[in-house]
Amino acid sequence: MDRATDEVLDSVGPRLRALRRDRGITLAGLAATTGVSESTLSRLESGQRRATLELLLPLARIYDVPLDDLVGAPRTGDPRIHLKPISRFGMTFVPLSRRPGGVHAFKMIIPGRPEPLEPTPQTHEGFEWLYVLNGRLRLVIGERDLTLPPGEAAEFDTSLPHWLGSADGAAVELLILFGLQGVRAHVRSGPHP
């Protein structure tokens, strides 16, 4: 193998270890969900075992990251960003960040409807910060029912029952920062030391 390939492969182990720790997953838990033995995973993370496609594919699925990001493959010379929208719960999410772990950024589009939907609050692990770009957002968090116009922001723990929808049936566009494990966004409005 050439030197560049060796450098890419040598960086896989530490990247995998950091990703697993960032997600709060144990080696035993990862072994149980991927079917790859705990000792193989440990040797892969420590660099004692070379990464193979057979080992990396289940890890990429579990961590929900592209294989290129998992191995740290060098980018091609194309500077364009290729966003791949995701449709869930009748809404469109456009991922704006590709970094494994940490805080993820999305543009979220709630389509317009003739009649606004009734809230169906959900809970999940994490912390969310949102900013309304266009439209009027109806945000239900626990017992609170709020309407946010363009330019307003909110943040909340997603373990609380919550729901996002259109306040008036028109389309809504949001910028969302979402972190697992309760990672919060810190916004500074002025200079800091």
Side-chain angles (χ1 to χ4, degrees), residues 7-144:
E7 286 176 11
V8 168
L9 289 175
D10 288 344
S11 69
V12 171
R15 187 176 288 106
L16 290 173
R17 178 177 285 128
L19 188 56
R20 178 179 57 79
R21 288 181 177 166
D22 199 39
R23 301 282 169 95
I25 302 172
T26 64
L27 277 174
L30 188 58
T33 56
T34 61
V36 178
S37 76
E38 204 173 326
S39 65
T40 298
L41 291 169
S42 177
R43 287 183 293 140
L44 186 60
E45 286 185 2
S46 67
Q48 296 173 355
R49 172 138 187 192
R50 281 284 194 197
T52 64
L53 194 56
E54 177 178 79
L55 294 173
L56 293 177
L57 282 175
L59 295 173
R61 275 189 220 107
I62 293 298
Y63 293 139
D64 193 28
V65 297
L67 195 54
D68 285 354
D69 288 355
L70 200 60
V71 298
R75 300 268 183 237
T76 62
D78 187 348
R80 293 175 294 176
I81 298 171
H82 302 282
L83 304 174
K84 294 182 182 151
I86 303 163
S87 292
R88 289 194 183 140
F89 317 113
M91 296 177 256
T92 302
F93 297 83
V94 181
L96 303 174
S97 60
R98 295 175 33 115
R99 184 178 82 107
V103 176
H104 294 267
F106 297 90
K107 179 177 181 183
M108 179 176 160
I109 303 162
I110 301 170
R113 300 184 184 281
E115 300 264 337
L117 293 174
E118 279 302 309
T120 52
Q122 304 290 320
T123 62
H124 52 87
E125 184 180 348
F127 202 86
E128 193 164 305
W129 179 91
L130 58 85
Y131 178 83
V132 181
L133 297 168
N134 291 304
R136 294 172 41 84
L137 175 71
R138 182 175 179 197
L139 174 62
V140 177
I141 303 173
E143 299 299 316
R144 298 193 70 162

